[in-house]
Amino acid sequence: MILIHIMDILDIPPRQLLLFVDLCQTSSITKTAENLGLSQPSASRHLSMLRDALRDPLFVPAGRGLAPTPTAIRLLPKIDSLIHEYERLPGAAAISPPEMSGIVRFATTDYGAMVALGPALQRANNEAPNLAFEIFPLENDVFARLIDGRLDFVFFSDDPVRDGIEHYDLFEEDHVFIVRNGHPLTQRQNVTKQDVEEYSRLLVNIIGDRHSYVDDDSLGKATPGMWVPYFAAAPFLVTQSDMVMSIPKRAADSFAASLPMTILPISPEEEPFTYRLLWSKQLNDDPVINWMKELIRDETQQT
């Protein structure tokens, strides 16, 4: 038998305790989510956190619903009493960042990890030290995974955004050319698409087929010389060859600080693209999601 001390329960956010009591009554995660004004993915997230905190499954499948385990049955009177105590304290049900736990899951390229998640990471670690983060690659089913709850956030730059998905516009970004130091193009005043057509191009292929590479047409008819799956690998290869790459400026600035490469503005200037943070509408009432999306928006707008 697992022994659970009252202090273990006191460390659990009140909203998760409310979910526990309601689920004991309804035997349905769907019904409990409705009762508490949560989406089902959000309710499932809270239940997972409860199971981790109390080191017990708490509820197991039974017929068409969920049945409490013996541990859950023993805990119910204590938790129910504790909730009544919380109700006497104004604002006790709010979840603050230090109380947040679990894993926040992102799908992004390494570019997104560098320029969008990276600026927010230190503050997230300081304010919510019990949160962890996991990054998944962008794949063809990324929107389906976002909607069904397998992902929490996606960093994305293209239109349109699918139904059922919310988004913040984080920033606008320009593309630039990058070449090795001493490349013949560095001797020209204004580098055009026609200029780069003399050289092979290096393309970032983010999803896994040559038709899905990141290329804003700024390289014109230049011959493809290499496809790579990562932004981070591409500048190293550029410095070892005469290939030309079109890359978002924030990434170029970051790499240029440590690599022997030159950034060349594109002439004439092209329309910038908008970089976005996406999440499912079903998570609009999830406190972890709401806190994280505001943090990312705040931090990216300061860079």
Side-chain angles (χ1 to χ4, degrees):
M1 180 177 71
I2 297 175
L3 296 178
I4 298 174
H5 194 274
I6 186 63
M7 295 305 295
D8 294 324
I9 301 175
L10 290 174
D11 286 337
I12 296 172
R15 194 167 195 179
Q16 293 178 19
L17 299 181
L18 287 169
L19 181 141
F20 173 86
V21 172
D22 195 88
L23 191 52
C24 284
Q25 297 168 349
T26 67
S27 301
S28 166
I29 193 69
T30 301
K31 183 62 177 175
T32 288
E34 292 175 359
N35 291 344
L36 299 182
L38 298 171
S39 66
Q40 186 166 333
S42 179
S44 296
R45 177 199 292 275
H46 287 306
L47 178 57
S48 177
M49 293 177 183
L50 265 174
R51 286 167 165 162
D52 290 343
L54 297 176
R55 306 182 299 282
D56 187 85
L58 298 177
F59 300 91
V60 295
R64 301 179 68 178
L66 296 172
T69 64
T71 297
I73 293 171
R74 288 194 301 272
L75 288 174
L76 179 57
K78 295 180 181 179
I79 292 178
D80 196 33
S81 175
L82 188 59
I83 287 174
H84 284 92
E85 293 298 322
Y86 272 123
E87 288 174 347
R88 300 178 184 178
L89 303 174
I95 299 177
S96 64
E99 297 176 295
M100 296 175 182
S101 61
I103 300 173
V104 183
R105 300 154 300 173
F106 295 83
T108 182
T109 61
D110 51 345
Y111 163 73
M114 287 189 298
V115 305
L117 182 57
L121 196 56
Q122 186 62 54
R123 181 178 155 196
N125 287 336
N126 289 341
E127 296 183 15
N130 297 315
L131 276 183
F133 307 95
E134 187 170 6
I135 296 177
F136 295 88
L138 289 179
E139 297 178 344
N140 288 318
D141 65 345
V142 66
F143 294 126
R145 290 158 59 210
L146 186 63
I147 290 173
D148 68 18
R150 286 177 287 166
L151 293 171
D152 299 308
F153 291 109
V154 173
F155 290 114
F156 202 66
S157 61
D158 293 339
D159 287 320
V161 176
R162 274 183 50 176
D163 290 342
I165 294 176
E166 303 272 22
H167 74 277
Y168 277 156
D169 290 348
L170 298 177
F171 53 79
E172 288 193 339
E173 178 79 299
D174 294 308
H175 279 91
V176 294
F177 295 133
I178 59 171
V179 295
R180 64 171 176 81
N181 286 348
H183 191 285
L185 286 177
T186 61
Q187 305 303 313
R188 304 191 186 184
Q189 291 290 328
N190 297 300
V191 178
T192 66
K193 293 180 182 180
Q194 290 70 33
D195 293 329
V196 302
E197 288 176 5
E198 302 174 25
Y199 302 93
S200 296
R201 58 181 174 174
L202 193 151
L203 301 169
V204 178
N205 169 19
I206 62 173
I207 295 181
D209 62 78
R210 292 179 184 172
H211 301 291
S212 62
Y213 51 74
V214 174
D215 180 18
D216 63 349
D217 293 327
S218 58
L219 291 172
K221 298 178 181 179
T223 303
M226 181 179 290
W227 290 268
V228 296
Y230 310 112
F231 281 94
F236 290 92
L237 297 169
V238 165
T239 64
Q240 304 298 314
S241 70
D242 279 343
M243 287 189 292
V244 182
M245 180 182 181
S246 173
I247 188 172
K249 188 175 185 304
R250 281 173 172 80
D253 289 340
S254 177
F255 293 129
S258 58
L259 290 175
M261 53 174 266
T262 300
I263 298 174
L264 302 173
I266 298 174
S267 181
E269 291 186 3
E270 299 186 336
E271 287 293 321
F273 67 89
T274 301
Y275 205 58
R276 298 183 173 95
L277 176 67
L278 280 57
W279 67 93
S280 171
K281 287 183 178 179
Q282 298 181 73
L283 296 180
N284 275 339
D285 56 4
D286 188 302
V288 174
I289 297 301
N290 288 334
W291 176 78
M292 194 70 209
K293 71 190 183 189
E294 295 297 335
L295 186 152
I296 290 172
R297 183 166 68 167
D298 290 347
E299 294 301 314
T300 54
Q301 290 179 352
Q302 294 180 28
T303 58

